[in-house]
Amino acid sequence: MRLTSAMRNLNRLLDLKSMKLLDHYSQFNPSPLTINLFMEFGQKGSEEDSFTFLRKEIPVRLSNIMKEINLLPSNLLQMPSTLTLQGWYAESFSDLMVFESGMSTDQDTLAHFCQALKTIQERHSNVVQFMAQG
């Protein structure tokens, strides 16, 4: 019953293709990141490298979070705050799926991707406080 209501929520938020992509990305573990990796990337990495990494890594992380949310008890899954939160995650996941296929790394694509990341960051800036309020 719990899984059914959770899946119903996601089915309302994502289309069939996005649901399949969510299932696909949720099979992967997020890449472990260390301060040393950040430092090394800061010295050698490029915007194109960031795009290539993040367009796969962020959907993995979002899909894992979305699957974890679905494991909450059914009474929590039906709370308005949880439904809103699921909507935010589904919207962010959909925003990133635009970049899922092997698109070019021209300046327009990179600018559009950066804007999508800023929008997602704003959308999720108060997730912890929002859930704590119930």
Side-chain angles (χ1 to χ4, degrees):
M1 175 86 165
R2 180 175 72 194
L3 189 58
T4 305
S5 65
M7 291 309 293
R8 229 179 293 127
N9 289 345
L10 281 179
N11 285 334
R12 279 184 273 166
L13 298 169
L14 296 171
D15 60 24
L16 184 59
K17 180 181 178 188
S18 295
M19 285 296 294
K20 287 181 180 181
L21 287 168
L22 178 75
D23 287 337
H24 170 73
Y25 280 107
S26 68
Q27 295 174 20
F28 301 103
N29 290 321
S31 298
L33 301 172
T34 64
I35 295 296
N36 287 339
L37 287 173
F38 278 119
M39 296 294 290
E40 184 180 318
F41 183 82
Q43 295 169 350
K44 300 176 186 173
S46 68
E47 195 172 356
E48 290 83 7
D49 294 335
S50 291
F51 171 74
T52 302
F53 175 73
L54 292 174
R55 76 176 182 182
K56 298 293 183 187
E57 183 65 20
I58 296 174
V60 167
R61 291 173 185 259
L62 288 175
S63 62
N64 278 285
I65 291 169
M66 292 169 74
K67 292 288 186 166
E68 289 286 328
I69 290 171
N70 285 336
L71 297 176
L72 290 171
S74 59
N75 59 332
L76 290 178
L77 280 172
Q78 297 310 314
M79 289 180 64
S81 58
T82 306
L83 296 172
T84 300
L85 186 70
Q86 283 181 310
W88 291 348
Y89 277 99
E91 187 174 0
S92 297
F93 187 80
S94 294
D95 289 350
L96 290 173
M97 288 302 93
V98 172
F99 305 98
E100 198 262 339
S101 63
M103 40 185 355
S104 68
T105 55
D106 61 25
Q107 287 303 309
D108 285 343
T109 301
L110 294 176
H112 187 234
F113 185 71
C114 284
Q115 185 56 50
L117 292 179
K118 288 176 186 175
T119 300
I120 290 167
Q121 182 184 21
E122 278 182 35
R123 185 180 298 136
H124 294 266
S125 64
N126 295 316
V127 165
V128 174
Q129 296 91 330
F130 187 77
M131 285 303 289
Q133 291 172 355

